């Protein structure tokens, strides 16, 4: 009597890169896929077949591991394959590629299990669903998540401190160079053409008594290029001519970004609550 054939396990391979992570650990998409496929080839009971590959982030624009599920198109695609019955589960190189924040990690795992899927990582194997009779299983998995989150925090801390130290030394740390400067090989240098425009505007202001609106109109009429090639506006002229105005504009932009981020958080929370 022949033994029943064990069906092949169909998995979606999930890859992710983030700007900060790739800059430090260099664990790119190709390396992640190679590790996932190597693990799959070694499995025999049951055998594993990678039926699809999804990606969050690319070499130019990474995708943070702290991003919620519905903001990661690759992960959402993998979940759809499982929900549709085209795959039995998800495979990632490690839990860090699924999420670098513990709460996000646990949300991803819970979602996969809720739709009847299984979760595997190449460095561990299967991550089994929580079992009340084995609390140590959950604790060890969550402990790995805590250290992934700590690692991400340390990466951000090193990058932030490095930029701050470079800026304190007068180097180009981050952000767009101000008008009159440009970045060359990651160092700030003088942009002679832009500085000539600043000097011309200063003469219009000091010698001809022109106001900001008049300077902007004249600069546009004479075809003087702005930093990004657009038209000059009074606020743009004010930033160029006044360091205080530039700093105020920077603070306003930072405040606006923080407000947008908070609004996005509220909208995501509302969407998730509505789905419950």
């Amino acid at each position: 009597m022949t033994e029943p054939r064990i069906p092949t396990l169909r998995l979606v391979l999930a890859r992710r890169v983030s700007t900060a992570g790739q800059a430090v650990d260099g664990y790119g998409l190709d390396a992640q896929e190679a590790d996932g496929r190597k693990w799959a080839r070694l499995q025999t009971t049951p055998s594993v077949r990678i039926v699809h590959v999804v990606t969050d982030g690319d070499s130019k624009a990474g995708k943070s591991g702290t991003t919620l599920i519905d903001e990661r198109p690759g992960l959402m695609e993998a979940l759809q394959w499982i929900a549709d019955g085209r795959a039995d589960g998800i495979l990632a190189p490690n839990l860090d590629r699924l999420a670098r924040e513990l709460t996000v990690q646990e949300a991803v795992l819970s979602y996969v299990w809720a739709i009847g899927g299984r979760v595997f990582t190449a460095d561990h194997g299967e991550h089994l669903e929580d079992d009340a009779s084995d609390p140590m299983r959950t604790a060890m998995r969550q402990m790995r998540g805590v250290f992934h989150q700590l690692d991400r925090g340390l990466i951000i801390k090193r990058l932030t401190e490095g930029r701050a130290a470079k800026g304190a030394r007068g180097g180009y740390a981050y952000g767009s160079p101000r008008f009159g400067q440009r970045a060359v090989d990651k160092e700030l240098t003088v942009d002679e053409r832009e500085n000539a425009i600043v000097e011309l505007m200063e003469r219009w202001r000091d010698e001809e008594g022109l106001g900001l609106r008049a300077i902007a109109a004249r600069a546009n009429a004479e075809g003087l290029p702005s930093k990004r090639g657009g038209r000059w506006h009074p606020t743009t002229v004010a930033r160029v001519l006044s360091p205080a105005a530039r700093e105020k504009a920077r603070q306003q932009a930072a405040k606006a970004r923080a407000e947008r981020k908070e609004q996005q958080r509220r909208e995501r929370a509302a969407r998730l609550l509505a789905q419950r």
Side-chain angles (χ1 to χ4, degrees):
M1 182 176 178
T2 60
E3 298 234 350
R5 184 173 178 274
I6 301 176
T8 299
L9 193 61
R10 304 165 300 163
L11 300 181
V12 176
L13 175 60
R15 312 178 302 171
R16 179 185 64 82
V17 289
S18 64
T19 305
Q22 196 168 13
V24 174
D25 59 36
Y27 195 29
L29 297 175
D30 291 342
Q32 293 176 42
E33 183 167 349
D35 286 349
R37 291 189 180 278
K38 180 180 178 181
W39 177 87
R41 287 194 299 269
L42 294 174
Q43 307 312 303
T44 56
T45 52
S47 61
V48 170
R49 179 164 61 94
I50 295 175
V51 294
H52 190 51
V53 178
V54 298
T55 304
D56 280 314
D58 55 35
S59 59
K60 295 181 180 179
K63 178 63 70 173
S64 171
T66 64
T67 306
L68 295 181
I69 299 173
D70 60 348
E71 292 184 316
R72 291 176 49 188
L75 182 57
M76 289 296 292
E77 186 179 350
L79 295 174
Q80 192 62 54
W81 271 65
I82 298 171
D84 292 345
R86 292 179 287 171
D88 303 306
I90 191 170
L91 166 65
N94 51 48
L95 282 177
D96 171 62
R97 294 301 107 179
L98 279 182
R100 274 198 164 180
E101 195 169 90
L102 178 60
T103 54
V104 179
Q105 168 190 298
E106 294 300 290
V108 172
L109 294 173
S110 296
Y111 199 105
V112 175
W113 292 330
I115 60 177
R118 299 168 67 179
V119 181
F120 299 82
T121 58
D123 66 341
H124 173 80
E126 183 168 12
H127 294 270
L128 297 173
E129 193 167 356
D130 293 341
D131 185 343
S133 65
D134 186 8
M136 186 61 70
R137 173 197 302 174
T138 302
M140 294 304 294
R141 183 190 71 242
Q142 292 180 346
M143 188 65 68
R144 285 192 291 271
V146 167
F147 281 105
H148 288 318
Q149 183 171 326
L150 174 62
D151 179 59
R152 175 180 180 273
L154 292 174
I155 288 173
I156 293 174
K157 180 175 183 289
R158 288 197 297 270
L159 291 174
T160 302
E161 289 178 345
R163 290 181 182 130
K166 189 173 183 179
R169 295 193 301 268
Y172 174 52
Y174 44 80
S176 176
R178 67 177 180 83
F179 197 82
Q181 294 181 325
R182 57 192 176 94
V184 178
D185 295 329
K186 298 184 179 180
E187 295 293 338
L188 282 182
T189 185
V190 173
D191 189 309
E192 299 291 350
R193 186 191 65 169
E194 291 183 354
N195 273 288
I197 293 174
V198 174
E199 291 175 2
L200 180 59
M201 288 182 172
E202 288 174 341
R203 287 201 302 272
W204 291 345
R205 178 194 62 190
D206 299 337
E207 297 176 9
E208 301 182 30
L210 296 185
L212 297 177
R213 189 176 301 278
I215 292 174
R218 189 165 175 178
N220 289 326
E222 296 191 10
L224 299 182
S226 66
K227 190 70 173 179
R228 295 181 175 83
R231 291 179 59 81
W232 288 96
H233 299 276
T235 54
T236 316
V237 174
R239 293 173 194 169
V240 168
L241 296 180
S242 170
R246 284 198 299 271
E247 177 60 21
K248 182 179 180 181
R250 187 194 66 78
Q251 292 177 357
Q252 288 175 339
K255 182 181 178 181
R257 287 195 299 270
E259 290 175 349
R260 286 197 301 270
K261 186 174 182 180
E262 179 61 25
Q263 181 62 28
Q264 290 168 354
R265 286 182 181 276
R266 291 178 181 275
E267 291 173 355
R268 287 199 301 267
R271 286 199 303 268
L272 292 173
L273 288 172
Q275 293 171 4
R276 296 185 66 177

